Amino acid sequence: MEPQELVAWALRAREQAYAPYSRYRVGAAVLAADGTVIPGCNVENASYPATICAERVALTGALARGKRELVALAVVTQDGGAPCGICRQVMAELGPEMAVYIADAQGRFRATTVAELLPHAFTGASLQASC
Ligand code: THU
């Protein structure tokens, strides 16, 4: 799948964003190795910390559908904002080899990688190293 097509999925997912508090709408889409696309949007909560980001909705949704091999993720905000630190950590856990496309509401995107977004990640390997 071309990056632009995955970005289009994320643009559509953004329409479902539930963001009554921040009004900052985010859409995401994860591409699994078998070609399945799993969309996500941010879902806010009156208890603010209960909010979940679009990227993590898509990533956890992929796992829940039995998709463990993830090849790419697209995320769309109004202005092409970068993924938050918690989402980067979850990307490193569930899709360390993914390409990441960071797009704005016009569909313009830049391509990066999980390793570039979160260098020196704390991973399962880090836990093995402890006593
Ligand atoms: N948000 C995301 O969905 N993804 C990110 O990577 C950054 C932040 C959401 C959470 C909240 O609903 C809104 O954007 C403002 O922080």
Side-chain angles (χ1 to χ4, degrees):
M1 177 181 294
E2 292 299 314
Q4 197 67 66
E5 192 181 341
L6 193 62
V7 168
W9 274 88
L11 276 163
R12 284 192 295 274
R14 184 169 178 258
E15 293 170 15
Q16 308 305 327
Y18 177 72
Y21 305 108
S22 73
R23 305 272 171 203
Y24 190 76
R25 302 165 68 82
V26 188
V30 167
L31 175 65
D34 68 356
T36 305
V37 177
I38 301 93
C41 62
N42 57 330
V43 181
E44 297 189 344
N45 194 287
S47 175
Y48 294 172
T51 293
I52 183 163
C53 294
E55 299 94 314
R56 280 179 289 139
V57 170
L59 288 162
T60 55
L63 268 283
R65 287 167 179 76
K67 310 303 177 187
R68 295 255 169 143
E69 202 184 330
L70 308 181
V71 297
L73 178 149
V75 57
V76 174
T77 61
Q78 185 63 38
D79 55 356
C84 81
I86 296 174
C87 288
R88 294 178 194 210
Q89 181 68 30
V90 175
M91 289 177 206
E93 179 76 30
L94 301 181
E97 307 301 328
M98 292 190 303
V100 180
Y101 308 116
I102 300 173
D104 67 18
Q106 279 68 51
R108 293 179 295 236
F109 68 92
R110 61 191 164 99
T112 183
T113 63
V114 175
E116 195 170 57
L117 288 168
L118 189 63
H120 313 293
F122 182 83
T123 66
S126 315
L127 290 173
Q128 311 294 318
S130 71
C131 59

